Amino acid sequence: MVEAQSWTTRRGSNPRLESTDQVLDIPVTPTAEIKHQQGVGSLISPNLLTALIIASWYLSNIGVLLLNKYLLSFYGYRYPIFLTMLHMISCASYSFVAIRWLEIVPFQQIHSRKQFFKILALSAIFCFSVVCGNTSLRYLPVSFNQAIGATTPFFTAIFAFVITCKKESAEVYLALVPVVLGIVLASNSEPLFHLFGFLMALGSTAGRALKSVVQGLLLTSDAEKLHSMNLLLYMAPMAAMILLPFTLYIEGNVTAVTIEKARLDGFMIFLLVANATVAYLVNLTNFLVTKHTSALTLQVLGNAKAAVAAVVSVLIFRNPVTVMGMTGFAVTLMGVVLYSEAKKRSKLTAH
């Protein structure tokens, strides 16, 4: 006859229950958001999702360039300030929907008047950069415009030194030499070179660099830091209000002209809506690429994007290019890559 085991005896016979400190983890019931994410994840693999996001980023970035060029140069819609204002209105509207309704990121409020004026200053710089960029597309081919835009690290280093007195290593400054040299070569051999367009493209590039430096300087405290999507939500309507008097004064009765053009050609409405929508998608996909990869990956993709956009624009618009111009562009991109690597090594050394 087998002796009946007590509860203690049975417990002792199971090594998994030996410890009196054993804690059994009970899985938490997933929230609706987690269930939704799990549902999306089950439909598409993470690698494929990342690839689709990167492809969307490329399409939106190159698409907005080509649409701007087509509208301003080939379609005859010569109102870059009004077009930029439409971009800002689009970004404000879509950002509101994405944050307040779709809740892509948590909503953040402006906490003080001081923070408001800091964002207003960034909006003014943002306006200057985008208007200059759109204006330059009236006079320059996209390929040359992108070559000039690749010099952003040069202006960033200058503004960082002038505004914050931040010095980089000698290796970083040496990497900027081919960045400038490449643009000199490309400018001297550009068949469609236009001085005003060149100055506008330089202004746009300098504005982008200045915004990044000033943003890091102004919104430094934890209380003032805003997520990039929330920052766009506040900057876009401010930028639109800044641009409104300029477009009315410089571009005349642009609203009436736009309505008349749209009445005569319905395709005009599609072009403007598509252009404004893609302008917002550029900002949205920037955030998504960083979220699903890293800021460094976005930087590398940006370097490659300039070359891809240049090639695509040449294939579509058939603008003439020279061997020396392509060589100069390649030298500039090589300098940007060297600059990125030098900055990365400098940060690792500092830590």
Side-chain angles (χ1 to χ4, degrees):
M1 181 177 178
V2 180
E3 181 181 353
Q5 290 181 314
S6 65
W7 183 87
T8 306
T9 307
R10 290 197 305 271
R11 180 181 180 277
S13 65
N14 190 342
R16 290 179 296 179
L17 298 177
E18 283 295 328
S19 173
T20 57
D21 297 328
Q22 181 75 22
V23 178
L24 299 179
D25 292 327
I26 301 175
V28 179
T29 303
T31 63
E33 182 181 358
I34 296 175
K35 287 180 179 179
H36 174 71
Q37 292 175 350
Q38 290 174 345
V40 173
S42 63
L43 294 176
I44 186 170
S45 68
N47 290 337
L48 181 57
L49 178 62
T50 302
L52 289 174
I53 290 172
I54 292 174
S56 300
W57 181 84
Y58 266 103
L59 289 173
S60 59
N61 274 270
I62 297 174
V64 75
L65 280 170
L66 299 181
L67 282 171
N68 285 345
K69 179 64 178 177
Y70 180 75
L71 273 167
L72 295 168
S73 294
F74 293 90
Y75 194 77
Y77 190 77
R78 306 183 186 281
Y79 305 104
I81 302 177
F82 184 75
L83 185 64
T84 305
M85 190 179 74
L86 290 181
H87 288 180
M88 297 301 102
I89 294 173
S90 169
C91 287
S93 304
Y94 285 123
S95 294
F96 182 82
V97 172
I99 295 174
R100 298 302 300 236
W101 290 359
L102 302 180
E103 298 181 348
I104 292 179
V105 297
F107 173 67
Q108 295 172 288
Q109 292 183 334
I110 296 177
H111 296 292
S112 64
R113 182 179 298 179
K114 182 179 178 181
Q115 186 184 20
F116 171 83
F117 283 111
K118 288 180 178 181
I119 297 173
L120 182 62
L122 288 174
S123 301
I125 299 171
F126 187 44
C127 285
F128 174 79
S129 175
V130 179
V131 169
C132 286
N134 287 340
T135 304
S136 71
L137 288 172
R138 276 190 59 186
Y139 305 96
L140 299 177
V142 175
S143 54
F144 188 46
N145 177 278
Q146 288 298 284
I148 299 171
T151 61
T152 302
F154 171 76
F155 290 99
T156 302
I158 291 177
F159 286 129
F161 177 76
V162 172
I163 296 175
T164 67
C165 297
K166 179 183 178 183
K167 294 182 179 180
E168 302 287 354
S169 65
E171 184 184 11
V172 172
Y173 287 124
L174 284 175
L176 293 173
V177 174
V179 173
V180 178
L181 178 62
I183 286 301
V184 172
L185 293 175
S187 301
N188 287 333
S189 58
E190 173 56 45
L192 300 179
F193 181 84
H194 191 285
L195 180 59
F196 181 72
F198 176 74
L199 293 176
M200 287 292 100
L202 281 181
S204 175
T205 305
R208 282 197 302 271
L210 179 61
K211 176 182 171 292
S212 65
V213 173
V214 173
Q215 182 174 329
L217 186 65
L218 294 182
L219 304 178
T220 52
S221 67
D222 291 336
E224 291 182 335
K225 282 183 179 178
L226 290 174
H227 189 280
S228 60
M229 299 294 289
N230 279 278
L231 184 59
L232 180 65
L233 174 64
Y234 292 117
M235 282 179 53
M238 291 182 187
M241 294 302 296
I242 292 171
L243 291 171
L244 180 60
F246 286 97
T247 186
L248 293 177
Y249 179 75
I250 297 173
E251 297 176 332
N253 195 15
V254 61
T255 306
V257 173
T258 302
I259 293 173
E260 181 63 20
K261 282 180 174 287
R263 189 180 65 81
L264 297 174
D265 185 5
F267 186 59
M268 175 76 177
I269 301 174
F270 170 78
L271 281 176
L272 291 177
V273 172
N275 183 259
T277 301
V278 175
Y280 170 73
L281 291 178
V282 170
N283 294 280
L284 177 62
T285 52
N286 274 353
F287 158 66
L288 292 176
V289 168
T290 305
K291 178 182 178 182
H292 287 266
T293 57
S294 65
L296 179 60
T297 301
L298 182 64
Q299 189 177 29
V300 173
L301 291 173
N303 296 338
K305 183 265 295 180
V308 174
V311 172
V312 172
S313 70
V314 170
L315 293 176
I316 293 177
F317 298 119
R318 304 291 182 180
N319 55 281
V321 292
T322 63
V323 174
M324 186 60 71
M326 290 188 292
T327 302
F329 192 9
V331 171
T332 294
L333 289 179
M334 181 189 69
V336 173
V337 173
L338 292 175
Y339 172 84
S340 300
E341 291 298 318
K343 284 279 289 184
K344 187 166 61 174
R345 283 194 291 269
S346 178
K347 289 180 179 179
L348 290 175
T349 303
H351 291 298

